[in-house]
């Protein structure tokens, strides 16, 4: 089959919906990545006021872990709450509100005067980031043709890597400016909300399902409770467990890549401005592999099944995290390993906009996908905090991240219980 044949039969409006959801997720990613890039300089400036002395690497690891954890907690709460909102009041309205939330509060992080100000703004930013994914994944799944849904979801998730590139490019261009300027750039996504308002209507699937709910009285039943009714209980537990594994591994290990780069022996003695450039190139290398992983998950899942592809990503991540964080002794070695790490450790996330919407009927699709993708973040929010603790206990970011990678064993244990949804239409 020609490689472009899957694009045939897709209307301009379906492409438009994917584009708008993709842009929303691009800027989600950019706003999330901004903090990882400015973590060191921001906390180096903000912590002395609280500590009464200059900040050390251990301090930055500890407080940075706390802020990462607070961010993940906000992401979890936003994803679950706005998933329910999207099922009850509509996908389009939810997209608009959540994009505005994460854009505005990313910009407000520039006003931080101490570390807990930054933590509070990152929590509020995360509410919008979590909610935008739930609405965006549902609307793409419901608008696109059944036989092309997995590939569309892979394109949607590829926005995360593009957002990382965008954040890295902004960081590179603005490296001579204070870290606050990069947060102000995060206000730009607010303009995407205007495009959503003008161009995107509610999916017909949701309109019909919502009308039936209103007529039958189902709309009055708590949606979260329905995720654990009867046959939905197992997919809910499996979906939430797989998302927990992926999030815990990403935020507990991979997102410490900038800190790993700064700790390399050949980075010592360089000027801070020089190190910034090396960090940006490393981030781009990681996300080049991630982009390939995101785009590969859909075709792999259509060919070999959802469970087999999740297993491939878990196994690859289990191998690549310690290989990347423990073995390198120089910057060039890290650059060679990071694309492989990104392929597996980030690529697994393309499975969720494909798999999670396939587990639930339309009236619960955003609630179910939002809950599974984000409920595990409540536990996973301890990942960065635990990494910060392990850095002090084990003596290096490399050992700490490698210990965190054992979480992928849990993913391999859960997968045999996962329903296989390849080739099945979306439940009505």
């Amino acid at each position: 089959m020609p490689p472009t044949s899957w694009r045939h039969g897709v209307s301009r409006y379906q492409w438009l919906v994917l584009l708008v959801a993709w842009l929303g997720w691009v800027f989600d990613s950019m706003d999330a990545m901004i903090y990882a890039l400015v973590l060191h300089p921001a906390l180096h400036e903000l912590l002395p006021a609280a500590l009464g002395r200059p900040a050390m690497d251990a301090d930055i690891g500890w407080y940075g872990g706390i802020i990462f954890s607070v961010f993940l907690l906000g992401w979890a709460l936003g994803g679950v709450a706005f998933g329910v909102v999207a099922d009850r009041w509509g996908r389009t309205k939810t997209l608009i509100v959540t994009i505005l939330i994460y854009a505005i509060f990313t910009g407000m992080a520039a006003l931080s005067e101490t570390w807990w100000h930054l933590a509070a703004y990152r929590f509020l930013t995360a509410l919008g980031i979590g909610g935008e994914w739930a609405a965006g994944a549902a609307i793409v799944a419901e608008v696109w043709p059944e036989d092309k849904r997995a590939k569309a979801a892979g394109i949607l998730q590829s926005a995360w890597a593009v957002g990382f590139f965008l954040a890295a490019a902004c960081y590179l261009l603005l490296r001579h400016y204070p870290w606050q300027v990069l947060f102000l750039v995060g206000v730009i996504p607010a303009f995407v909300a205007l495009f959503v308002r003008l161009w995107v209507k509610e999916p017909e699937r949701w309109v019909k399902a919502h009308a039936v709910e209103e007529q039958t009285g189902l709309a009055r039943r708590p949606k979260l409770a329905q995720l654990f009714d009867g046959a939905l209980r197992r997919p809910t537990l499996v979906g939430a467990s797989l998302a927990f594994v992926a999030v815990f591994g990403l935020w507990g290990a991979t997102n410490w890549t900038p800190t790993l780069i700064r700790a390399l022996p050949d980075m010592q003695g360089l000027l801070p401005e020089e190190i910034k450039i090396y960090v940006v190139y490393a981030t781009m290398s990681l996300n080049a592999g991630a982009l390939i992983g995101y785009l590969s998950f859909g075709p792999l899942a259509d060919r070999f099944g959802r469970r087999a592809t999740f297993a491939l990503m878990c196994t690859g991540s289990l191998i690549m995290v310690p290989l990347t964080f423990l073995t390198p002794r120089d910057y060039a070695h890290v650059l060679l390993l990071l694309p492989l790490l990104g392929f597996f450790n980030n690529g697994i996330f393309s499975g969720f906009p494909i798999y999670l919407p396939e587990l639930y009927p339309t009236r619960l699709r955003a609630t179910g996908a939002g809950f599974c993708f984000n409920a595990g973040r409540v536990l996973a929010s301890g990942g960065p905090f635990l990494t910060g603790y392990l850095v002090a206990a084990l003596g290096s970011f490399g050992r700490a991240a490698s210990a965190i990678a054992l979480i992928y064993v849990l993913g391999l244990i859960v997968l045999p219980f996962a329903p296989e949804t390849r080739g099945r239409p979306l439940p009505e």
Side-chain angles (χ1 to χ4, degrees):
M1 184 168 54
T4 58
S5 63
W6 70 271
R7 291 182 287 179
H8 297 160
V10 181
S11 70
R12 292 181 63 184
Y13 178 72
Q14 288 165 334
W15 279 111
L16 177 63
V17 169
L18 178 59
L19 173 63
V20 171
W22 184 86
L23 284 174
W25 197 231
V26 164
F27 291 118
D28 257 5
S29 169
M30 184 188 79
D31 285 359
M33 185 59 183
I34 282 172
Y35 171 68
L37 289 170
V38 302
L39 166 66
H40 196 278
L43 291 184
H44 191 269
E45 179 178 321
L46 296 175
L47 282 176
L51 300 175
R53 57 173 173 78
M56 309 295 290
D57 282 347
D59 299 319
I60 292 173
W62 177 261
Y63 288 95
I66 291 174
I67 298 175
F68 265 133
S69 297
V70 167
F71 178 78
L72 287 180
L73 182 60
W75 191 331
L77 294 176
V80 174
F82 282 110
V84 175
V85 170
D87 276 337
R88 194 171 295 279
W89 284 293
R91 282 69 162 118
T92 301
K93 299 180 187 70
T94 306
L95 274 176
I96 294 169
V97 171
T98 53
I99 290 171
L100 288 174
I101 289 173
Y102 76 68
I104 291 169
F105 285 109
T106 296
M108 291 188 69
L111 304 176
S112 301
E113 295 180 354
T114 187
W115 73 271
W116 61 266
H117 289 168
L118 183 57
Y121 287 128
R122 294 306 288 165
F123 174 82
L124 294 169
T125 298
L127 292 175
I129 288 177
E132 194 275 340
W133 185 91
I139 200 170
V140 170
E142 291 170 353
V143 168
W144 267 64
E146 296 280 1
D147 60 331
K148 300 173 176 64
R149 190 176 61 247
K151 296 178 180 67
I155 294 173
L156 175 63
Q157 194 63 35
S158 75
W160 191 259
V162 175
F164 270 43
F165 280 119
L166 188 57
C170 291
Y171 183 73
L172 192 60
L173 291 171
L174 300 172
R175 66 184 183 278
H176 299 301
Y177 293 87
W179 56 268
Q180 290 93 339
V181 174
L182 201 59
F183 279 123
L184 292 175
V185 172
V187 178
I188 293 173
F191 294 101
V192 176
L194 176 63
F195 298 137
V196 176
R197 177 69 181 85
L198 293 175
W199 295 344
V200 180
K201 60 181 184 291
E202 297 295 346
E204 288 299 320
R205 282 179 183 266
W206 178 81
V207 172
K208 292 177 182 177
H210 185 63
V212 171
E213 272 195 303
E214 293 293 332
Q215 293 169 4
T216 60
L218 279 174
R220 293 191 294 272
R221 291 188 60 197
K223 290 188 176 293
L224 285 175
Q226 294 178 59
L227 301 182
F228 296 92
D229 285 349
L232 291 179
R233 184 181 299 112
R234 188 176 80 168
T236 296
L237 294 175
V238 168
S241 298
L242 288 174
F244 163 69
V245 167
V247 173
F248 195 92
L250 178 73
W251 292 96
T254 309
N255 260 43
W256 292 96
T257 298
T259 305
L260 168 70
I261 298 299
R262 288 187 171 93
L264 289 170
D266 50 354
M267 295 293 105
Q268 306 312 304
L270 296 180
L271 295 173
E273 294 302 316
E274 294 176 305
I275 295 176
K276 283 183 181 181
I277 296 174
Y278 284 113
V279 168
V280 169
Y281 289 145
T283 303
M284 290 181 173
S285 177
L286 173 74
N287 285 284
L291 181 59
I292 298 172
Y294 293 141
L295 295 174
S296 298
F297 198 109
L300 289 171
D302 276 345
R303 184 174 181 84
F304 301 107
R306 279 50 167 161
R307 290 192 303 186
T309 310
F310 272 118
L312 171 67
M313 295 299 182
C314 284
T315 303
S317 299
L318 181 63
I319 295 169
M320 288 308 304
V321 171
L323 198 62
T324 304
F325 278 80
L326 284 180
T327 61
R329 293 295 179 266
D330 57 64
Y331 182 75
H333 191 181
V334 174
L335 285 187
L336 291 175
L337 293 173
L338 284 175
L340 284 173
L341 174 64
F343 179 90
F344 294 109
N345 192 257
N346 290 264
I348 190 173
F349 283 88
S350 260
F352 299 114
I354 296 170
Y355 186 57
L356 297 180
E358 295 174 342
L359 298 176
Y360 298 98
T362 302
R363 63 186 174 83
L364 294 172
R365 184 159 294 122
T367 300
F371 176 84
C372 290
F373 193 53
N374 293 288
R377 292 177 193 274
V378 177
L379 293 175
S381 65
F385 183 80
L386 178 60
T387 305
Y389 170 79
L390 290 175
V391 169
L394 300 177
S396 75
F397 280 102
R399 295 191 189 97
S402 299
I404 293 292
L406 294 173
I407 193 65
Y408 292 104
V409 175
L410 175 62
L412 294 172
I413 293 172
V414 167
L415 276 171
F417 301 96
E420 179 56 67
T421 56
R422 179 179 59 161
R424 299 179 186 175
L426 280 181
E428 291 294 343

